[in-house]
């Protein structure tokens, strides 16, 4: 209930009418970090050994590690809020596709950095994050830790970028074409008619 003219504070937890402050902060904060992370990957692919690539690539391990920690927190928070989350909009087939798309996004957000971290931990060259040495250099490379990352980190990273592009396109379609509440639940937190 709210007093006319006054806005009730945004809830921290998710509600069926919209996402809470924690989910929205994690979502948009991670979106910014992913934009940064993909910038470093794209520059590495198209402009290796340039100054701008050197700058962005020097952050790839630390930002990637941060994303890995955040996605684990976000997954735990999502599970804790599962029963309160807004349902997907649209016909049943579209809602099912949205559920599968989000599952694939989560799976790749976990698997892509995990493969790279295991490789970095097992390649014998050591692993530093924000200047902190998490794994000391030295020792023999461990093929079981290195090979999966070599085979799949880059490929699955690009696959994640394609899914993220699809996710953005669908969010814009909901907001601009279908004009339903999907986008405002993640921006303002509540459906327009629920904001008083
Ligand atoms: C969600 C986080 C991450 C994303 C989306 C991501 C994405 C990518 C992509 C798309 C590439 C391919 C670049 C190319 O083709 O030149 C790449 C390469 C690479 N990434 Fe990441 N990365 C992430 C996290 C990490 C982390 C945490 C590490 C280190 C611990 C790391 C280390 C590397 C390395 C060494 C390469 C070059 C070798 C390779 O292609 O596998 N990445 N990353």
């Amino acid at each position: 209930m709210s007093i006319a003219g006054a806005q009730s504070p945004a809830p921290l937890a998710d509600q069926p009418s919209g996402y809470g402050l924690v989910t929205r902060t994690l979502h948009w904060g991670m979106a910014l970090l992913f934009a940064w992370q993909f910038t470093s990957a794209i520059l590495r692919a198209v402009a290796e050994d340039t100054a701008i690539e050197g700058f962005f690539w020097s952050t790839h391990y630390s930002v990637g590690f941060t994303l890995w920690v955040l996605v684990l927190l976000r997954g735990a928070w999502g599970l804790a809020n599962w029963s309160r989350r807004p349902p997907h909009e649209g016909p049943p087939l579209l809602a099912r596709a949205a559920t599968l798309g989000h599952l694939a996004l989560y799976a790749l957000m976990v698997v892509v950095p995990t493969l790279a971290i295991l490789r970095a931990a097992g390649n014998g060259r050591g692993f530093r994050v924000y200047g902190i040495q998490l794994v000391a250099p030295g020792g023999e490379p461990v093929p079981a830790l290195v090979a999966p990352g070599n085979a799949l980190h880059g490929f699955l990273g690009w696959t994640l970028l394609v899914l993220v592009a699809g996710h953005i396109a669908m969010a814009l379609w909901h907001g601009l074409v279908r004009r339903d509440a999907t986008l405002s639940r993640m921006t303002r937190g509540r459906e327009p008619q629920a904001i008083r």
Side-chain angles (χ1 to χ4, degrees):
M1 203 162 62
S2 65
I3 303 163
Q7 263 201 22
S8 50
L12 287 181
D14 298 338
Q15 317 283 322
S17 60
Y19 293 101
L21 205 54
V22 174
T23 297
R24 283 183 291 139
T25 305
L26 283 168
H27 178 273
W28 294 109
M30 286 178 69
L32 283 178
L33 289 178
F34 269 112
W36 184 280
Q37 188 72 349
F38 282 120
T39 302
S40 67
I42 290 167
L43 287 171
R44 187 172 197 272
V46 302
E48 206 175 353
D49 294 333
T50 59
I52 187 155
E53 185 265 347
F55 169 71
F56 273 96
W57 188 254
S58 70
T59 67
H60 190 85
Y61 283 37
S62 296
V63 173
F65 183 81
T66 307
L67 280 165
W68 179 69
V69 172
L70 289 177
V71 78
L72 295 182
L73 286 175
R74 187 168 166 190
W77 180 254
L79 287 178
N81 283 266
W82 191 262
S83 59
R84 288 190 293 266
R85 290 203 144 182
H88 290 301
E89 294 275 348
L93 201 61
L94 194 67
R96 178 156 284 258
T99 304
L100 290 178
H102 283 104
L103 275 176
L105 271 172
Y106 267 98
L108 287 179
M109 285 193 297
V110 173
V111 168
V112 168
T114 300
L115 288 172
I117 290 166
L118 291 176
R119 173 175 63 185
N123 65 11
R125 295 200 296 272
F127 178 35
R128 283 165 81 86
V129 169
Y130 296 110
I132 301 163
Q133 196 79 46
L134 295 186
V135 179
E140 285 299 304
V142 183
L145 295 180
V146 174
N150 281 347
L152 291 170
H153 175 70
F155 171 72
L156 292 181
W158 294 126
T159 309
L160 177 57
L161 179 60
V162 171
L163 275 190
V164 168
H167 175 71
I168 295 169
M170 287 310 290
L172 291 175
W173 177 76
H174 276 286
L176 302 176
V177 180
R178 201 164 186 276
R179 292 175 175 274
D180 61 25
T182 303
L183 198 53
S184 63
R185 285 167 176 169
M186 194 50 103
T187 50
R188 287 185 279 186
R190 279 168 283 185
E191 295 167 29
Q193 67 271 24
I195 301 172
R196 293 280 177 266

